[in-house]
Amino acid sequence: LPTDPGADASLCGMAATGASGTNAVRYGTMRPNVLNLRVVLPDGRLLHTAGPGRQPRKRAAGYDLTSLFVGSEGTLGFLTQATLRLHPLPEATAVTVASFPSVGAAVSCTVQVLQAAVPVARIEFLDEVMADACGRFSQMELPAAATLLLELHGSRRSLAEQQQQMGEIVQQNSGSSLAWAEGLDEREQLWSMRHNAWYAALALRPGCQGYSTDVCVPISRLPDVVVETKQDLQASGLTGPMVGHVGDGNFHCILVFNSQDPEEAQRIHAFTQRLGRRALAAGGTCTGEHGVGLGKRALLQEELGQEGLDTLRSIKAALDPHNLMNPGKVL
């Protein structure tokens, strides 16, 4: 199962927001990996979006109801069961950590890896604040530097070729030399550290609240957007370590702030609006996997336009005419 829930995520919850996870760069997000959903509709009827018991790899029978409910954020019905696509386990797996002199160098390396068609399975980014926080929280030795966590899947022969190619690209971007680990314990320790990034960020300011952004932009624009966002964070004086599934253009700023301080809360709001509009200006989206909820409704209109928003409202009115499901959210 390639979908890789982080923190306290659930599979139906990930389907409801159209989430992704660390494996998305190779195996796709939740949307292409959900084959069928069991949904309780607002009037109490039970819907199987691809038909009861059906799980074909592809289908062309009518509207794609499964994709409609993936990402619907609970506004169209309760997702109670998900049938998911499975993928074969690779013969061999190798993981490594690369440190870089700047966030720009780390993200530029990501772009070159993808442009070179290296079939990387996971490529996760941590800025120097997040790397330091994760290392201390998980009690692992990790330099306080912009970092990529890389994982390769394949046959043993193909893996050796991928490792050589990856090492050359990392070196071209002034990254550290690579030491690959293939043992299960070492790999699980590394990804456990990554999955605890949320808690590591909160530990930077005990007693404060966390808010995670999740913009996604075209890969070609990713280095510029990440660098501009880093500069914006520093100029705003906010605690916001950066982490992301950069292999598909998605990154997060985990903003840790005192919710009892109105001035800081206002700076958080202003920053998130700037970040969302920066992603839109780059041809991206205001939310790559967490959803619109309440905070991004204005950005949703800017992203889709009035015609798009009207179409969403028509679908909502058709399935939930009494506005019972998550009223006020998204739309």
Side-chain angles (χ1 to χ4, degrees):
L1 177 64
T3 51
D4 185 30
D8 58 351
S10 66
L11 291 176
C12 280
M14 289 181 71
T17 62
S20 55
T22 60
N23 280 313
V25 61
R26 178 159 183 169
Y27 299 102
T29 66
M30 282 297 289
R31 194 176 299 277
N33 283 292
V34 177
L35 301 177
N36 202 346
L37 287 169
R38 186 178 68 190
V39 183
V40 179
L41 295 172
D43 60 8
R45 289 180 298 158
L46 195 63
L47 167 69
H48 296 266
T49 56
R54 306 198 183 282
Q55 47 191 349
R57 291 182 63 88
K58 63 178 184 179
R59 56 190 300 275
Y63 299 142
D64 188 350
L65 296 178
T66 303
S67 289
L68 173 64
F69 280 90
V70 174
S72 60
E73 299 186 49
T75 61
L76 302 178
F78 290 116
L79 310 188
T80 61
Q81 186 181 82
T83 303
L84 303 178
R85 185 190 305 273
L86 299 180
H87 296 257
L89 289 171
E91 176 188 353
T93 301
V95 65
T96 192
V97 178
S99 299
F100 296 84
S102 67
V103 295
V107 181
S108 293
C109 180
T110 299
V111 174
Q112 291 177 33
V113 166
L114 298 172
Q115 290 175 337
V118 180
V120 61
R122 306 190 199 193
I123 182 164
E124 293 286 303
F125 164 72
L126 313 174
D127 75 349
E128 73 281 1
V129 181
M130 189 81 264
D132 184 52
C134 283
R136 287 189 284 114
F137 185 83
S138 297
Q139 298 181 341
M140 292 180 62
E141 292 186 9
L142 196 65
T147 300
L148 291 180
L149 312 180
L150 303 155
E151 185 169 286
L152 302 174
H153 294 174
S155 66
R156 296 197 178 279
R157 179 178 297 179
S158 68
L159 213 61
E161 182 180 338
Q162 293 174 38
Q163 288 170 324
Q164 179 180 352
Q165 192 175 10
M166 186 75 75
E168 292 171 355
I169 296 173
V170 168
Q171 187 176 34
Q172 290 168 10
N173 288 276
S174 304
S176 59
S177 58
L178 302 183
W180 293 91
E182 298 188 19
L184 179 61
D185 289 345
E186 292 174 285
R187 290 190 283 115
E188 287 187 342
Q189 185 180 26
L190 179 68
W191 293 115
S192 176
M193 176 197 68
R194 166 60 183 88
H195 288 317
N196 284 325
W198 171 259
Y199 305 113
L202 293 181
L204 292 173
R205 295 181 66 182
C208 287
Q209 182 176 331
Y211 180 91
S212 181
T213 67
D214 72 314
V215 296
C216 186
V217 299
I219 293 296
S220 61
R221 297 298 308 277
L222 187 63
D224 290 341
V225 172
V226 168
V227 169
E228 289 171 15
T229 301
K230 181 69 174 177
Q231 293 170 344
D232 193 356
L233 274 171
Q234 293 171 335
S236 301
L238 298 171
T239 302
M242 300 174 70
V243 60
H245 317 310
V246 285
D248 55 8
N250 183 200
F251 71 93
H252 314 283
C253 300
I254 303 179
L255 303 166
V256 187
F257 68 105
N258 180 1
S259 59
Q260 303 304 310
D261 181 345
E263 188 275 335
E264 187 176 17
Q266 178 55 38
R267 281 190 288 134
I268 291 288
H269 175 74
F271 171 82
T272 58
Q273 296 299 300
R274 289 195 303 273
L275 175 58
R277 292 190 170 97
R278 184 178 302 123
L280 295 180
T285 176
C286 66
T287 173
E289 60 172 343
H290 292 169
V292 173
L294 292 171
K296 296 183 179 179
R297 289 182 300 179
L299 293 172
L300 178 66
Q301 180 162 2
E302 294 176 29
E303 181 168 332
L304 296 182
Q306 192 59 49
E307 294 78 9
L309 205 60
D310 288 345
T311 302
L312 291 185
R313 286 178 174 145
S314 295
I315 295 171
K316 167 72 169 173
L319 292 177
D320 184 17
H322 301 296
N323 197 26
L324 300 175
M325 310 299 293
N326 261 358
K329 295 289 183 70
V330 184
L331 303 174

